[in-house]
């Protein structure tokens, strides 16, 4: 079945450092890909998405490019802030019987940014 | 902008009790999903509804049932609660006409079973 693999955390960085969180996927067909962020004690917030190969999703300084040839969707940010500390989930959309979609999540990567 | 609303936000129950979780999707969204997130784990798909019809089921125990009502809100009913049911339960909604891929999540209901 379809699956998502993320790099294990925690990832600890100093403020203004460059961030990369790796995400690879296994899927039949052409899923959409997502990054969701979960701040402590809160729900899941959609961070960015890409719906087809070579699409780049971006939001709040974060970027990820849908790479079909490497089946990857790595999350990057040029300069992290303390407020970016959270758990980041990579996810793909998996087709259901009635043409709606469920999300399959990776295991999540905890990011801790130190001042 | 209106978001997905879930109630209650926190719920404490004893073993073998029942619980009902409610979800109000974003206005005009026609599809509702339920996910379960155990401590330190990723969210797992439980069940979904499109236009008040059950769409698909994931790893949802037989003790759990759900439905979507005419106003599109959904309820997840959980009976004979077990300690292992303690988790964060998310509801998400999407609009099929917009492609249906993008799901917006509510803040979750944290269920603790004692």
């Amino acid at each position: 079945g379809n699956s998502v693999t993320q790099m294990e955390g925690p990832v600890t960085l100093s403020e203004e450092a460059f961030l990369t969180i790796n995400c690879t996927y296994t899927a039949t067909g052409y899923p959409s890909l997502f990054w969701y962020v979960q701040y402590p004690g809160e729900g899941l917030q959609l961070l960015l998405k890409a719906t087809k190969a070579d699409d780049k999703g971006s939001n709040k300084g974060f970027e990820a490019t849908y790479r079909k040839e490497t089946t990857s969707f790595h999350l990057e940010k040029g300069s992290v802030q303390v407020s970016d500390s959270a758990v980041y989930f990579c996810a793909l959309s998996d087709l259901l019987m009635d043409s709606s979609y469920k999300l399959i999540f990776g295991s999540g990567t905890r990011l801790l940014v130190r001042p | 902008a209106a978001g997905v609303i879930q109630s209650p936000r926190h719920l404490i129950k004893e073993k073998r009790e029942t619980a009902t979780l409610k979800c109000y999707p974003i206005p005009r969204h026609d599809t509702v999903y339920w996910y379960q997130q155990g401590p330190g784990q990723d969210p797992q798909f439980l069940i979904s509804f499109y236009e008040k019809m059950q769409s698909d089921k994931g790893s949802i125990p037989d003790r759990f049932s759900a439905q979507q009502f005419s106003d599109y809100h959904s309820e997840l009913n959980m009976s004979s609660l077990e300690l292992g049911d303690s988790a964060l339960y998310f509801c998400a909604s999407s609009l099929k006409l917009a492609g249906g891929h993008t799901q917006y999540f509510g803040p979750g209901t944290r269920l603790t079973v004692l």
Side-chain angles (χ1 to χ4, degrees), chain A residues 3 18 20-21 23 26 29-30 37-38 55-57 59 61-62 64 67 70 79 96 101 103:
Chain A
S3 65
F18 184 86
T20 299
I21 300 178
C23 171
T26 301
Y30 303 97
V37 58
Q38 187 173 30
D55 265 4
K56 177 187 281 189
N59 186 28
F62 290 90
R67 302 284 189 201
T70 55
S79 175
L96 296 173
Y101 297 87
L103 292 175

Side-chain angles (χ1 to χ4, degrees), chain A residues 44-109:
Chain A
L44 292 163
Q45 297 180 25
L46 177 65
L47 181 59
L48 54 83
K49 66 178 181 180
T51 57
K52 62 183 186 297
D54 299 325
D55 265 4
K56 177 187 281 189
S58 61
N59 186 28
K60 300 180 181 179
F62 290 90
E63 293 184 341
T65 301
Y66 191 145
R67 302 284 189 201
K68 185 170 177 292
E69 63 277 12
T70 55
T71 61
S72 66
F73 193 55
H74 304 322
L75 182 68
E76 296 182 337
K77 187 176 185 183
S79 175
V80 294
Q81 305 300 312
V82 172
S83 57
D84 293 327
S85 298
V87 178
Y88 291 81
F89 289 96
C90 184
L92 63 78
S93 60
D94 195 30
L95 187 63
L96 296 173
M97 288 187 298
D98 68 346
S99 302
S100 59
Y101 297 87
K102 67 179 181 185
L103 292 175
I104 295 176
F105 288 88
S107 55
T109 302

Side-chain angles (χ1 to χ4, degrees), chain B residues 1-100:
Chain B
V4 177
I5 298 172
Q6 289 188 247
S7 67
R9 293 292 308 277
H10 302 272
L11 192 56
I12 299 175
K13 292 286 185 178
E14 301 277 344
K15 278 172 49 178
R16 292 179 289 278
E17 286 191 320
T18 61
T20 297
L21 279 54
K22 296 185 178 182
C23 168
Y24 297 85
I26 291 172
R28 294 187 296 280
H29 279 195
D30 50 21
T31 309
V32 168
Y33 311 80
W34 287 97
Y35 292 83
Q36 178 191 57
Q37 185 181 29
Q41 298 184 0
D42 57 292
Q44 296 289 318
F45 172 73
L46 291 178
I47 195 167
S48 64
F49 293 87
Y50 167 65
E51 283 291 343
K52 293 152 282 188
M53 299 284 288
Q54 183 180 304
S55 172
D56 206 343
K57 292 172 71 170
S59 49
I60 182 170
D62 291 341
R63 300 178 288 107
F64 293 7
S65 65
Q67 57 182 324
Q68 186 179 31
F69 295 85
S70 57
D71 64 352
Y72 292 95
H73 94 272
S74 178
E75 294 183 2
L76 177 65
N77 298 293
M78 310 159 71
S79 62
S80 302
L81 288 169
E82 301 174 356
L83 295 178
D85 296 329
S86 295
L88 196 51
Y89 290 84
F90 287 111
C91 173
S93 72
S94 69
L95 178 61
K96 199 166 186 178
L97 277 178

